[in-house]
Structure formats: C-alpha cells, structure tokens
Amino acid sequence: MDSEPGGRRGRTRMLLLECALDLFERQGYERTTVGQIAATAGVTEMTFFRHFAAKDRLVVEDPYDPVIAGAVAAQPRTMAPLARAVAGLRAAWGRLPEPESTTVRRRVRIAAATPPLRAAISANNAATEQILVDQLVADGADPGSARVAAAAVLAGITAALLDWSQRDGVALTDVVSAALDTLEGRR
C-alpha cells in the first residue's frame, strides 16, 4: 500500500480532506454526511473510513502527542513543570514542519464554529494533557503542579489557535510563539 504523503494514499486523503472542508464551509459540518464527502471525492464510504476513523477526524486529528511528550521529556528535570512544558512545546514546535496554513486555518475555523467539534478539541486536549501530566510526574513533578502546567499550556495554545483561525495574514508559527512567550511571562 502506498503510504507516502505524495503517493496515491496521501493524495486520496488530501482529496477527502479538501472535499470535506468545502462541504463543511458550504453547508455546515453537521449537515454534511460521510456519504456526501466520499461522493464528492469520487470514492466509496469504505475508502473514506480507511483514511479517517470518523468524520470529526477530518477536522480535529492531532498527530503531535508523541513529539510533544518526547520534547517535554528532553527538558531538564530541574525546571518547574510549567517552564518545562512550555520549553518542551517550543522545542516540539521547532521540530515540526510548518503545516499548510490555509488547510489548517480552515480546519480550525470550522472546529471553532461547530459545538460538537469544540467538544472533540476538548477531548483531544484532555488526552494530550494526560500525556504531559504523565511525563512530568514520571520525571518527578508533583501531580497537582503537573496537571496545572499541562492544562495551562494547552489552554494557551488552543486559545491562540482559535484566535489565529479568524485572522488571515498571520503566521501560525508566530501565534504559537506568542502564546508560549505569554505563558513564560515574556508578554
């Protein structure tokens, strides 16, 4: 099976995503069915589900948790939990390729405007928060301090992303850096 991003599988995945975003913007997330997305992309519903486990994954999929956890683990254990989480996120963000901003902005705009998707973002954040808490606690942080640090960092990043999605002409990297600067007390 072709799993390269530019290969057939990657092209089909991107086609499904683009067709879904067009439909979500035109008729709304909740009024768009998987069948409509598949038909618009010229594939079967089975093909859709080979690429996305559920419709909400088109908008709220988050593949970065392992990268973030590893980056937090690499920070000095002597740092306070909040400083360590911020430094880890900053390091992780620096290693990730800049996402295709137009597509990401569309996904975040749709999620911000759709209550069930906002709930899915919260669920994703809860999972990421737990990964961060587990890493910080495993490295010796107090569980309460670890929970507050992880929640603060994710709330800050989420707020910045939602704001960014509504502002054209602003780079995602700049928004993430500004949010992390704010969390560090630089802004």
Side-chain angles (χ1 to χ4, degrees):
M1 182 173 295
D2 183 359
S3 61
E4 292 298 312
R8 189 180 76 196
R9 181 168 172 78
R11 286 190 305 269
T12 300
R13 185 176 174 83
M14 283 306 301
L15 177 62
L16 285 164
L17 177 59
E18 289 300 320
C19 290
L21 294 176
D22 290 344
L23 288 166
F24 295 161
E25 289 171 340
R26 232 184 0 255
Q27 63 190 33
Y29 173 82
E30 292 172 312
R31 289 189 302 270
T32 301
T33 67
V34 168
Q36 290 172 322
I37 296 166
T40 302
V43 300
T44 65
E45 286 186 47
M46 182 180 287
T47 297
F48 173 92
F49 287 113
R50 283 188 192 120
H51 293 273
F52 298 96
K55 182 172 79 166
D56 69 348
R57 298 289 91 193
L58 288 154
V59 180
V60 298
E61 190 170 69
D62 181 4
Y64 301 124
D65 286 352
V67 175
I68 292 169
V72 169
Q75 302 307 307
R77 293 179 181 192
T78 56
M79 295 173 78
L82 179 59
R84 194 161 182 236
V86 169
L89 262 161
R90 192 180 297 280
W93 188 259
R95 278 184 272 194
L96 296 170
E98 176 74 20
E100 200 284 296
S101 291
T102 303
T103 301
V104 173
R105 192 182 311 270
R106 289 175 74 195
R107 290 171 68 195
V108 176
R109 277 185 185 157
I110 291 164
T114 309
L117 293 176
R118 297 264 322 222
I121 289 171
S122 293
N124 273 2
N125 280 355
T128 303
E129 179 180 314
Q130 191 59 54
I131 288 167
L132 290 174
V133 168
D134 291 346
Q135 185 62 59
L136 291 167
V137 169
D139 293 340
D142 168 72
S145 296
R147 173 81 51 208
V148 169
V153 168
L154 291 173
I157 293 295
T158 300
L161 285 172
L162 293 173
D163 180 58
W164 166 80
S165 76
Q166 303 303 313
R167 296 174 30 213
D168 292 328
V170 178
L172 181 55
T173 300
D174 294 342
V175 170
V176 169
S177 291
L180 294 173
D181 288 349
T182 299
L183 288 161
E184 287 180 322
R186 294 184 195 181
R187 288 184 161 236

